[in-house]
Amino acid sequence: MTMTVPATTVPATSAAAPAAPRRPTVRELRLVAFKSHVGTQLPLAPVTVLHGASGAGASNVLDGLAALSGLAGGGELTEALSGVRGGLAGCVPHGGRGFRLGCTVGTPQGAVRLEVAVRTDGRPRVVAEQLALDGQVLLATGAEDQARGRINASWHSDGRQGDIRAPLSASALLTAQLPLRVAGATPGEQRVLVAVQHLLTALREVFLIDPAPGQMRDWVSPADDARLRSSADNLSAVLARIEGECRIRYGRLLQAVRAAAPFPAAGLGVLRAAGDGRVLAAVDEGTGRRTSAALLGAGTLRHLAFATVLLTGPGVLQMGSATEVPDAERLLTVLAEDFDQRLLPLAVEVAARGHVRLLATGREPADVPGVVDVHCRREPTTGGSVLEGGTGSGQ
């Protein structure tokens, strides 16, 4: 299968090419044929917000990046995409037999592009994949052996015998298999390994946060290594951990609560149950009354969960991070469903430090300096999703 670049695109936010990043950074997402999107090409800024009517397809954009992140983990397709809404089958456009998507990752060595096509009729399998660095193809695929679940692949070598050719498993992303197959014996193979490492690092540092307030109101067991789950149902345990680790960060969380609470918030803490030691988040109203998470409104709980993600980082999030990367060199990409837009100034602030990027859906247009706003709608004649706008600051 020949890989092509989709024709439609959201305009880039700046005419100038972005500078090479210090860390691998997802710069563009391409949904060639994925869920409700066909030919969608979205440049990603440090803070990008999509808005539109319910069902317009904004959340499907988040699913696209979540799917690439799952594939980068190296697991078999069904498992790798289990965290995407609808799973593997849900990625397929209506009436289709598979899906295609890709991305571009900015690196100090140049732009790394990935394109992948997956078929879901019969045994789920990768039927085409291409990896390139600054236009030079480093990995390409040929014919598939469906009976054996293999696909022929070739990768760049610069060796005397030319490119290396070998069959790889079609049940997982081929790029994720290369670190165990490429020897790195030639400059060409080393170039392949560097591009692969950058791509996988950027995609693995993705965390989806979609708080479920109904699950955040229960008492939970504390843990020294508590890490926030995507639903934020264990937020109380995470707050108990942060409270003991970093008072400055905890103070910033209190500021975030004050911005959202419908009552004066003098303090933020956790209640501890007698006997079993379970904890429950609570807000001190300053009059001796503590309002527990069981009584807080859904909006306040979601607000607190989003702020926790922005102010903590991968070490406090339950995610399959690229743990071989030093903390100072990590760049977290947060995917946020129905993001509380009162927190956009905070998102811009933390993104400016170079450690966090945000791709979110929102209910309203985001008219905030430093935020790229994109409108998502459905095309009446085709039913496909269309992205428009892309106004705001550059990358």
Side-chain angles (χ1 to χ4, degrees):
M1 178 182 289
T2 301
M3 289 293 187
T4 58
V5 177
T8 59
T9 179
V10 172
T13 57
S14 173
R22 292 182 297 135
R23 307 175 184 88
T25 305
V26 183
R27 284 281 177 80
E28 182 178 79
L29 176 64
R30 293 182 293 279
L31 307 179
V32 184
F34 182 85
K35 294 200 170 190
S36 61
H37 290 266
V38 176
T40 293
Q41 189 168 332
L42 176 66
L44 298 177
V47 180
T48 305
V49 177
L50 302 105
H51 72 278
S54 178
S59 294
N60 291 343
V61 176
L62 272 61
D63 285 339
L65 188 49
L68 286 169
S69 179
L71 291 171
E76 293 198 0
L77 294 173
T78 301
E79 177 187 356
L81 298 171
S82 60
V84 179
R85 290 179 308 141
L88 174 67
C91 297
V92 180
H94 181 70
R97 295 183 296 177
F99 60 90
R100 298 171 61 187
L101 74 170
C103 66
T104 297
V105 171
T107 79
Q109 283 72 36
V112 179
R113 289 176 59 96
L114 172 70
E115 312 285 348
V116 59
V118 173
R119 288 283 291 270
T120 56
D121 53 331
R123 176 189 297 174
R125 62 204 186 277
V126 174
V127 294
E129 186 171 329
Q130 185 181 95
L131 182 73
L133 174 59
D134 276 350
Q136 180 184 24
V137 176
L138 302 181
L139 169 71
T141 52
E144 60 172 320
D145 184 348
Q146 189 172 352
R148 296 186 177 183
R150 314 286 282 180
I151 184 170
N152 291 325
S154 61
W155 54 86
H156 182 60
S157 172
D158 271 345
R160 297 173 60 182
Q161 304 300 321
D163 290 349
I164 306 297
R165 292 174 172 79
L168 296 177
S169 171
S171 64
L173 187 73
L174 274 61
T175 299
Q177 302 174 47
L178 290 183
L180 297 178
R181 297 299 301 268
V182 179
T186 67
E189 291 183 355
Q190 293 170 12
R191 183 174 171 86
V192 172
L193 289 175
V194 168
V196 168
Q197 178 183 9
H198 284 322
L199 178 85
L200 297 182
T201 296
L203 290 178
R204 288 172 180 170
E205 294 285 87
V206 171
F207 180 75
L208 172 66
I209 177 69
D210 186 13
Q215 301 175 34
M216 298 165 65
R217 296 189 172 103
D218 295 331
W219 292 83
V220 295
S221 298
D224 292 338
D225 61 346
R227 298 198 299 163
L228 190 70
R229 292 189 280 265
S230 290
S231 65
D233 62 324
N234 63 334
L235 178 65
S236 294
V238 174
L239 291 179
R241 171 188 172 184
I242 299 172
E243 184 179 22
E245 289 183 349
C246 183
R247 298 303 301 174
I248 295 176
R249 184 176 294 170
Y250 209 68
R252 293 299 307 274
L253 284 173
L254 174 59
Q255 293 176 4
V257 172
R258 285 173 174 163
F263 47 79
L268 173 67
V270 293
L271 305 176
R272 298 183 183 273
D276 60 12
R278 290 182 302 162
V279 295
L280 183 64
V283 176
D284 185 350
E285 297 188 31
T287 58
R289 175 183 175 183
R290 289 187 174 184
T291 302
S292 74
L295 300 176
L296 290 175
T300 301
L301 289 171
R302 289 178 60 84
H303 187 98
L304 182 55
F306 288 131
T308 300
V309 172
L310 292 175
L311 291 170
T312 53
V316 188
L317 307 177
Q318 191 174 96
M319 56 185 294
S321 304
T323 54
E324 69 277 7
V325 180
D327 286 345
E329 297 298 322
R330 298 173 72 174
L331 176 57
L332 174 68
T333 298
V334 177
L335 306 181
E337 288 274 7
D338 194 16
F339 186 72
D340 188 330
Q341 292 176 251
R342 292 172 295 180
L343 287 169
L344 284 175
L346 176 62
V348 172
E349 175 191 335
V350 297
R353 300 174 192 158
H355 291 282
V356 175
R357 290 168 71 91
L358 174 68
L359 174 60
T361 62
R363 300 183 182 183
E364 304 292 338
D367 186 16
V368 175
V371 176
V372 170
D373 179 76
V374 179
H375 178 235
C376 184
R377 64 176 179 84
R378 281 288 183 95
E379 175 59 47
T381 56
T382 65
S385 296
V386 177
L387 301 185
E388 301 171 325
T391 59
S393 67
Q395 301 182 53

